[in-house]
């Protein structure tokens, strides 16, 4: 007969049983996330707690596992308050949620063809940089989304980089660029957008979430551009806590080479 721990010691976890628990907890977490429920775990004790199993439970909703020696630990109150300020970033009328489940291929943002509203599932972080730069590693929470599975732009379900609610600001930006004799187009080339953009989805709005990038320079491309600067743009889209408004923040930086 197998036990999660040896009765005589009380602090030895059996790897095989822990593996079963991780699979089961991960399934529970995915079911909760599909129903728009985020999971966090707060625990305390003097023995091993099988943290891997709890991490499997909170991973689908990018939740927290916080272990305290006691519930009177110095940082207990501040840590709990921070977790309670996070929330699931998802529009109320998210189409997959109405059917009781969320297909991974529809994670992201787009236009619901039947009702005509923009939907957003998760916090979408678009990182764009000069064409002679390429990210090699992304460190932090979230999932990297494939370009062709994230955005629907018109009634024919054609994939593309611009959402209907972004058409106006794009037109304003191209008009501003034309005043500075910069070349403009009626719409951006998909290949240019996809080659210079990395899109990441975080399933929870957490102001302390941090992403780090390792970047390589492609010297042949840099010689063609002969640019004095490297450009970086960060576009963050998330939904307010009520699930009614999609909010967008744009940060652009120019780094001299």
């Amino acid at each position: 007969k197998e036990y999660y721990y040896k009765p005589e010691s009380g602090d030895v976890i059996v790897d095989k049983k822990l593996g079963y628990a991780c699979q089961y907890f991960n399934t529970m977490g995915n079911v909760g996330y599909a129903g728009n429920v985020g999971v966090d775990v707060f625990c305390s004790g003097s023995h091993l707690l099988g943290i891997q199993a709890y991490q499997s439970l909170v991973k689908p909703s990018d939740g927290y596992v916080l272990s305290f020696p006691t519930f009177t630990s110095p940082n207990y109150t501040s840590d709990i308050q921070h977790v309670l300020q996070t929330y699931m970033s998802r529009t109320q009328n998210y189409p997959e949620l109405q059917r009781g489940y969320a297909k991974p291929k529809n994670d992201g943002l787009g236009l619901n063809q039947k009702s005509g509203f923009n939907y957003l599932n998760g916090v979408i972080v678009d990182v764009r940089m000069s064409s002679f730069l390429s990210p090699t590693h992304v460190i932090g929470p979230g999932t990297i989304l494939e370009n062709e599975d994230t955005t629907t732009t018109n009634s024919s379900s054609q994939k593309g980089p611009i959402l209907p609610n972004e058409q106006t600001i794009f037109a304003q930006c191209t008009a501003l660029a034309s005043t500075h004799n910069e070349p403009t187009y009626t719409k951006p080339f998909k290949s240019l957008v996809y080659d210079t953009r990395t899109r990441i989805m975080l399933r929870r709005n957490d102001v302390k979430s941090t992403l780090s990038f390792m970047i390589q320079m492609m010297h042949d491309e840099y010689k063609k551009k002969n640019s004095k600067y490297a450009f970086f743009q960060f576009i963050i889209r998330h939904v307010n806590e009520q699930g009614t408004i999609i909010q967008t923040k744009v940060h652009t930086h120019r780094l001299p080479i």
Side-chain angles (χ1 to χ4, degrees), residues 61-220:
S61 58
D62 288 341
Y64 281 88
V65 177
L66 299 182
S67 177
F68 303 94
T70 70
F71 287 137
T72 58
S73 300
N75 295 330
Y76 172 77
T77 301
S78 60
D79 289 347
I80 296 296
Q81 287 178 344
H82 169 71
V83 174
L84 294 179
Q85 291 174 356
T86 67
Y87 62 88
M88 304 294 292
S89 177
R90 178 182 280 174
T91 47
Q92 284 185 348
N93 45 12
Y94 183 66
E96 301 300 332
L97 183 61
Q98 292 178 343
R99 295 197 291 270
Y101 64 94
K103 294 182 179 179
K105 69 178 182 179
N106 286 333
D107 281 350
L109 70 162
L111 176 68
N112 186 323
Q113 305 301 332
K114 294 183 179 179
S115 54
F117 62 79
N118 294 320
Y119 67 82
L120 176 62
N121 182 33
V123 178
I124 302 298
V125 181
D126 286 345
V127 181
R128 298 190 61 198
M129 56 191 71
S130 299
S131 59
F132 53 83
L133 299 176
S134 177
T136 59
H137 296 80
V138 180
I139 304 169
T143 303
I144 297 178
L145 298 181
E146 296 296 330
N147 290 316
E148 291 299 328
D149 291 335
T150 57
T151 309
T152 302
T153 59
N154 55 44
S155 59
S156 62
S157 299
Q158 180 182 355
K159 304 297 182 181
I162 301 180
L163 289 174
N165 64 312
E166 296 174 339
Q167 293 284 357
T168 302
I169 188 63
F170 179 77
Q172 294 175 357
C173 290
T174 54
L176 178 62
S178 64
T179 63
H180 295 275
N181 296 321
E182 294 288 342
T184 60
Y185 308 92
T186 55
K187 60 182 178 180
F189 291 113
K190 292 182 183 180
S191 60
L192 176 62
V193 173
Y194 295 159
D195 290 343
T196 60
R197 182 188 69 190
T198 301
R199 173 166 286 178
I200 301 171
M201 184 196 73
L202 294 80
R203 292 183 167 179
R204 184 182 297 221
N205 190 346
D206 184 350
V207 296
K208 292 189 176 181
S209 293
T210 303
L211 295 170
S212 301
F213 292 81
M214 297 181 65
I215 302 171
Q216 68 176 1
M217 175 181 286
M218 296 175 286
H219 293 281
D220 292 340

